[in-house]
Each structure stands twice: as structure tokens, then as C-alpha cells.
Amino acid sequence: MASIKDVAAAAGVSVATVSRVLNEHPSVSADARTRVLAAVEALGYRPNAVARSLRTDQTHTLGLVISDVLNPYFTELARSVEEEARALGYSVIIGNADERPDLQDHHVRTLLDRRIDGLLVSPTDGGSPLMLDAARAGTPMVFVDRWIPGVEVPVVRADGRAAVRDLVAHLYGLGHRRLAIIAGPAATTTGSERVEAFRAAMAEYGLPLPDAHIGQGDFQAESGRRVTEGFLDLPEPPEVVFAADNLMALGALDAIRARGLRVPDDIALAAFDDIPWFVHTDPPITAIAQPTGELGRAAVRALVDRIEGRDVPASVTFAARLVVRRSCGEPAPQEPSPSPVQRSTS
Amino acid sequence: MASIKDVAAAAGVSVATVSRVLNEHPSVSADARTRVLAAVEALGYRPNAVARSLRTDQTHTLGLVISDVLNPYFTELARSVEEEARALGYSVIIGNADERPDLQDHHVRTLLDRRIDGLLVSPTDGGSPLMLDAARAGTPMVFVDRWIPGVEVPVVRADGRAAVRDLVAHLYGLGHRRLAIIAGPAATTTGSERVEAFRAAMAEYGLPLPDAHIGQGDFQAESGRRVTEGFLDLPEPPEVVFAADNLMALGALDAIRARGLRVPDDIALAAFDDIPWFVHTDPPITAIAQPTGELGRAAVRALVDRIEGRDVPASVTFAARLVVRRSCGEPAPQEPSPSPVQRSTS
DNA sequence: CCTCCTCGTGGAATCGTTTACATCAATGCG
DNA sequence: CGCATTGATGTAAACGATTCCACGAGGAGG
């Protein structure tokens, strides 16, 4: 592969001049410029990004470590992150942690070794020393969706409290009283937060939430299946199952179907995170939707602001919203229009 | 960040010795080794992958350019690719082309600039000069799922011919005669191949396939919706719609639902590419399933074989299989067990 | 006419590694 | 005892870019 030396030789100038042409340095003659450009064209020369990075100490690359690529929510997040990053002149390397702390660590380490300019993380757990050290050492970092409390890193996320309250209100209005939740791992903020919001809303309506109605899941379909089976085995099973993410909802559906039960007649179902398929499941599933695209874009902008030293980025919080469909027992009205965005500084 | 020099200084040896310890070179004394390791630990030193790549001319990184991350099929493919690559000591950088040739080109260029060791591509179109040049210039490359005819690059894919014939047989058996297909872009092999297989199977059963029953889609949901609307507007609409991928099937469902029609009573639906959600749609959707994970793993192995110069990798073809559910008109039996794998050389 | 800038250019250092080569001490063997 | 071999180490040259610095030519201003 042709290097800058070959170009310099072909154009009859020094490598310094070639570099200046390529980087649009002002002080280079028109004559030299055209000769260099011609040589570049003729040789099909492309600068070696590895060498360039070594010298300039920047890779123009962002790392994105997400919890699970197979989850459509994170896929959409990844897509919007890449899109915004590309618009700002950055590439993205995605690391899929599969909800496993060891894999998360592996990816963070690899990304750091590659000297990415900044890191976007949706942490799978409380944070390994590795990640915390990196944050403390000054690696530009932004948490997205999930975060780690007590760490000085901006967070871009959606707040589901209000939507969860809306959901409980909706369920209460339909006459449901025994509600159960399939929670995510307590080590994740979204895992514990959604349970907390649910518990608070239940209390608000004077409904009991026995421990038996809080199932411990791990955001994967299989755990949704397992927990739901447990619920169904209860002497008095819940009337509603609320899954804290869409994959566990899928598992719950599997379990319910395996028993030959029907939604919502025998048991109602709702989920956190909306996806296009929820419109076509049997029945269409009531869900809490996050403004995923905006989340991804805002996170990238915050991170790039930090990298390029414009200012210290603030945390951003969007609102999630309830989308009522038929899985809890009533014909759905129109799909509501998107809710307004709310920003806050932390 | 600490560099190898710092480690050398701290351990009281030269950088060469540090490098030797880190690369497990045999000729280094036990004493020196322990001192170096201690210094590494103390300083939290991690080798700079950028510098190492520059020197060794290998990045231990694979590029994967896929057509659409939002398509669960490709997400699963990406996941299996990353998994296998990691097992073999490689990282993966994913580029999402969104079915756009210009984006595909952008990613190929960026990946090449980063001097990735090899490229895995599922081409969106007939192939840009850039990609073809790279292949000719000797960049290790493997096509996965889709390929470009006439290019000397191994292909790892699933052959859907038999499964499509099975599907047509199934539909014929249910009494359906007017079948329509939502095709993918003709520029993609999977786009044209699936139509061809469908056409051949139809001919085998003596069924006509008028042009009006071949809708032109682009593998995205929106096109599925549009084409399906066209079908439904026909004076004599088809009895069955076969979508060449799962996203177009989603669009078709949207369109059918918008008309207040029911599947399969008013119109039947089948799709290429199976996904977990198809079990829970209303009704469960009959689909052709690919061994996606195996595809990804085989592709990586072929590419790495090529990179590490073990041998010239052969093309590999797996078989797709029909999964009958209820969307075409009959209660589904058991889910069939996985089909055997078939290998061929090209 | 001399001096001082400015502009275009090239030489060479540098980024953090790996590795070919040289060096030196210790060992084995005739 | 002397010489060849081996093993452990260090020195320095790459890899391909960017960029500081020096240099010479030319123009402007006194």
C-alpha cells in the first residue's frame, strides 16, 4: 500500500509538503498542491489512520459498550449513536457485553488499548475498577441509559417514573389489583429504578406488592420465562405481569403460551421499552416507550463536547411515555403523539 | 498514560526487554521478567495498540459491513461474528450500511484506512470500485449472506431454494393458487435469488406468476407496506404474500392491519428470515429460517484462515429450512428440528 | 541598498512499539 | 586452556504519519 513517501517521490516534493496539502495547511504553493493531488490520485493513496493516530494522539473514534445487541432497544440506540457520531466526524466501535460484567470489562479494556477518544457506556453492573479508574484518569466518558451512582460522569437517560405511574393508573382503572413485576438486575440502575417506580406507584394506589410478586430477571428472555412460570405457579397468581424490558416480555409470552393461557383474559402483560413488533403481537402489547434516537444523539453530542474541550457536558434526562395497547384488557385508543422533551442538569 | 519507556525505567531494564517479556519471548531471565511484571502492575501499564499495529502491520481487527443493523437477522449475524472473532483473538468493527451504497462505501473506506486485517461484507449493491479494488489488491475478504457475482471472494451463505420450494408446496397444499412476493433489491443476490427460487417453485407447481405479483421492495419495512398496499389494490388481490425479509413482512402486516383485514383468513403471509417474535405475532408467522449463528462463525473462520495464511478458504453453503406456523392457514405442528449442514466448494 | 518579514519548502524529531543486530558473559567441549 | 556456542541484554532502526525549526528567496519599507 502506498505511503506518504511514495506520494512525495511521485510529486517531487518532501513528505512534509504532502502532509501539508492533505491537512489543508495554508502555506503551500498552488503548483505543489496540484502535483501532490495528482500523485495521490495516481497512486490511490489513502493516509494510514494508524500512523496518524500514533502521531496526533487522537483516533477520532468513540467506543460504545452496550449491554445486549440482541435487544432491539440497544440496537436502535447503537444506530443513532453511530449516525450522530458520523455526522460529527467520528467512527464508533461497538462492544457487546451480553449483560456479562466480564465481557463488559473485556471490551472496555480493548477500547482503551485502542486509545479511543471517548467512551459511551451503558453499564451492566456497578462498574469494574477498570472502568472507574479510566473515568478518574480523565478518559472522556458518558453513561447512556444506565449509569453508576457516585461516579463523576454525565448521564444521558430517560426517566420512566411518570410513565410507570401512568401504567399503574391504567391497570388500576381496568380493575387490576394484583400486579407483579419482572425486575432487571439490581446492579443496574434501570433494573432497580423501574422496580422502585413501580413500588412507589403501587403504594400511591394503596396496592400491596408482596415479595412474591417481584421476580428477579436479568433482562434476557429466558429469565422472563422462568420468572413468569414462578408467578403462574403461585396459589394466587398475579393478574398482571410487567416486564422491565422487552426481551423478558418475550420470555413471559412464551411461558404464558406454554400454559395455554390467554392475554389479557387470563393474565395481562405490559413491558418497558417499546418495539415495532409489539403492534403485531397477539395481543398488541402495552409498553413504555423511550425516545431512543434522541438518547443516542444527545449522548454523542455530550461526549464530543467533552472530547473537544468545549465545555463540561451536563446530564440530560428525557421522558418516557406510556403506549396503551390491548395486552392489559381494553381496546386501545389511538397511539398517542410523542411527548415533549424535558431537560435537566445534574 | 504510561508507556513502555516508563516501565523500562521503573524495572531498570531496556525497552527491548520489556517488549520481550510482554510478547513472551523465550530469552529473558526470570529475574528481569519478575521486575518487568512488577513495574507493569505498579504503573498500570497497557501496551498502546495503535503503536503496536503500526509496527507489526496488523491490527487484529476484522471489519464487518452489514446492510442493516436494525434487521434482527443481521444483528444476530453480527453477534455471532463478534463472538467467534473474539474466540480467535480478533476484535470486530461493525459498519452499518442501512442498505445505502454510499454508506457502505464510507464504511469500507474507513475500515481500510484503519488497516483492518480482513473484511466481512454483506454487500448492499453490485459493489463499488473501491471494494472491488480492495479485493483485487489482496485485502482478505469474505462475503457473508449476500455476495457479488464474478468476484474472487469466498462466500458464506444459506441456500434458500429448497426451503422456498417447501414453502410453495405448503401453500399449494393449503389450496392457495395466487401467490405474490415482495422482492428485495435486484442488485443484491438475496434479493434476486429469492425471487428466482420462488419463480422456479411456482413453475414447478404450474402456477402463474404475473408481474403484478412481484413487488419491488428494498428490505425495509416501509417498502413492505407500500408493496402490500399495491397488492391489495389489485382487482384480484393475491391470496398469499411472501416477504423476502422480516422487515418487509412487518410492513406488510402494518398494511394488512390498516385495511382491517385478517391473516390468514383474508390473506396469508410468509417471510424469509425467522425471528423470535414471529412466534407471538397474530397469527404466528410461517418463515424460512437460516442458521444465522453458524453463518457468522463460518465466515469468521474462513476469513481468519485467509488472514493467517493457512489456506485459501472455500465457500460454504448452509441450508435454510421452512418453519410452518399459522399465518398461511393451518394449525402448525411441532417446530421441526434443525436441518443438517451441507458444505460445498466453489 | 540593506534589513526585516513572509512564504514555501525540506530536514529531522517524534509518537510507542517490535525486532535485527551487536555485545558480553558464562558455559561446554576437545 | 582456548574457542565456539548459547543466552540475556541493550542499541538503534524501522513503521507512516505530523510538525517544529531552519533556510532561502522574494517583496516591502526605511
Side-chain angles (χ1 to χ4, degrees), chain B residues 5 20 52 80 96 157 218 223 242 249 252 273 291-292 321:
Chain B
K5 272 188 208 149
R20 279 188 274 255
R52 189 197 295 251
S80 66
N96 171 33
R157 66 186 188 102
D218 60 5
S223 72
F242 172 39
D273 289 340
T292 320
R321 71 177 207 279

Side-chain angles (χ1 to χ4, degrees), chain A residues 156-180:
Chain A
V156 174
R157 66 185 190 104
D159 181 353
R161 290 191 166 272
V164 168
R165 193 174 342 102
D166 291 348
L167 172 64
V168 171
H170 168 67
L171 295 168
Y172 189 92
L174 292 170
H176 298 303
R177 293 297 178 267
R178 292 201 310 280
L179 320 186

Side-chain angles (χ1 to χ4, degrees), chain B:
Chain B
M1 199 153 244
S3 86
I4 198 172
K5 272 188 208 149
D6 305 314
V7 175
V13 297
S14 72
V15 293
T17 301
V18 177
S19 177
R20 279 188 274 255
V21 171
L22 264 27
N23 294 288
E24 284 164 353
H25 187 98
S27 116
V28 45
S29 69
D31 174 52
R33 160 167 286 113
T34 54
R35 291 220 311 285
V36 166
L37 258 20
V40 164
E41 185 69 21
L43 295 169
Y45 168 76
R46 298 244 76 213
N48 182 329
V50 174
R52 189 197 295 251
S53 292
L54 177 61
R55 179 58 229 249
T56 61
D57 200 33
Q58 41 177 322
T59 50
H60 270 274
T61 303
L62 270 27
L64 169 65
V65 180
I66 55 178
S67 323
D68 184 6
V69 248
L70 293 189
N71 186 325
Y73 167 75
F74 285 111
T75 312
E76 197 183 331
L77 186 68
R79 190 192 125 119
S80 66
V81 162
E82 195 275 336
E83 223 163 51
E84 183 74 11
R86 179 155 34 82
L88 297 176
Y90 286 78
S91 299
V92 176
I93 303 184
I94 303 174
N96 171 33
D98 248 342
E99 302 287 1
R100 283 168 44 190
D102 61 317
L103 255 189
Q104 168 177 281
D105 240 47
H106 166 86
H107 285 120
V108 171
R109 198 188 316 274
T110 316
L111 291 167
L112 256 22
D113 285 355
R114 286 167 173 270
R115 301 302 193 265
I116 44 133
D117 292 343
L119 200 52
L120 238 34
V121 188
S122 174
T124 286
D125 64 353
S128 59
L130 175 64
M131 203 163 79
L132 302 180
D133 284 354
R136 252 180 250 113
T139 307
M141 199 180 290
V142 166
F143 288 141
V144 56
D145 183 51
R146 309 179 184 176
W147 81 98
I148 300 177
V151 184
E152 290 267 344
V153 168
V155 182
V156 174
R157 66 186 188 102
D159 183 354
R161 291 192 164 271
V164 168
R165 195 176 338 102
D166 291 348
L167 172 64
V168 171
H170 168 67
L171 295 169
Y172 190 92
L174 291 170
H176 297 304
R177 293 298 178 267
R178 291 199 312 281
L179 320 187
I181 183 170
I182 311 178
T188 63
T189 46
T190 48
S192 56
E193 226 176 33
R194 288 167 194 179
V195 177
E196 276 323 302
F198 188 67
R199 196 195 302 278
M202 291 288 278
E204 209 172 298
Y205 280 83
L207 299 176
L209 184 59
D211 286 349
H213 282 185
I214 304 180
Q216 200 45 247
D218 60 5
F219 284 140
Q220 305 278 12
E222 180 47 38
S223 72
R225 191 187 334 257
R226 180 172 38 73
V227 169
T228 304
E229 273 163 9
F231 287 157
L232 296 175
D233 285 338
L234 253 31
E236 202 178 36
E239 296 156 341
V240 182
V241 172
F242 172 39
D245 87 339
N246 63 61
L247 292 183
M248 296 194 298
L250 175 64
L253 266 184
D254 280 347
I256 292 169
R257 173 179 182 245
R259 297 269 177 127
L261 299 176
R262 296 184 46 203
V263 177
D265 312 272
D266 298 313
I267 189 162
L269 181 67
F272 209 104
D273 289 340
D274 195 17
I275 61 171
W277 297 102
F278 276 174
V279 176
H280 295 294
T281 48
D282 175 27
I285 295 180
T286 292
I288 292 175
Q290 299 193 45
T292 320
E294 305 201 49
L295 240 56
R297 286 189 289 275
V300 169
R301 282 194 299 266
L303 185 58
V304 170
D305 276 355
R306 166 71 202 285
I307 291 172
E308 301 184 351
R310 266 189 291 280
D311 52 17
V312 179
S315 291
V316 181
T317 305
F318 293 89
R321 71 177 207 279
L322 177 66
V323 179
V324 174
R325 299 202 182 89
R326 291 207 311 275
S327 65
C328 300
E330 190 168 287
Q334 290 294 75
E335 300 248 330
S337 57
S339 68
V341 167
Q342 158 213 337
R343 275 158 182 276
S344 80
T345 313
S346 82

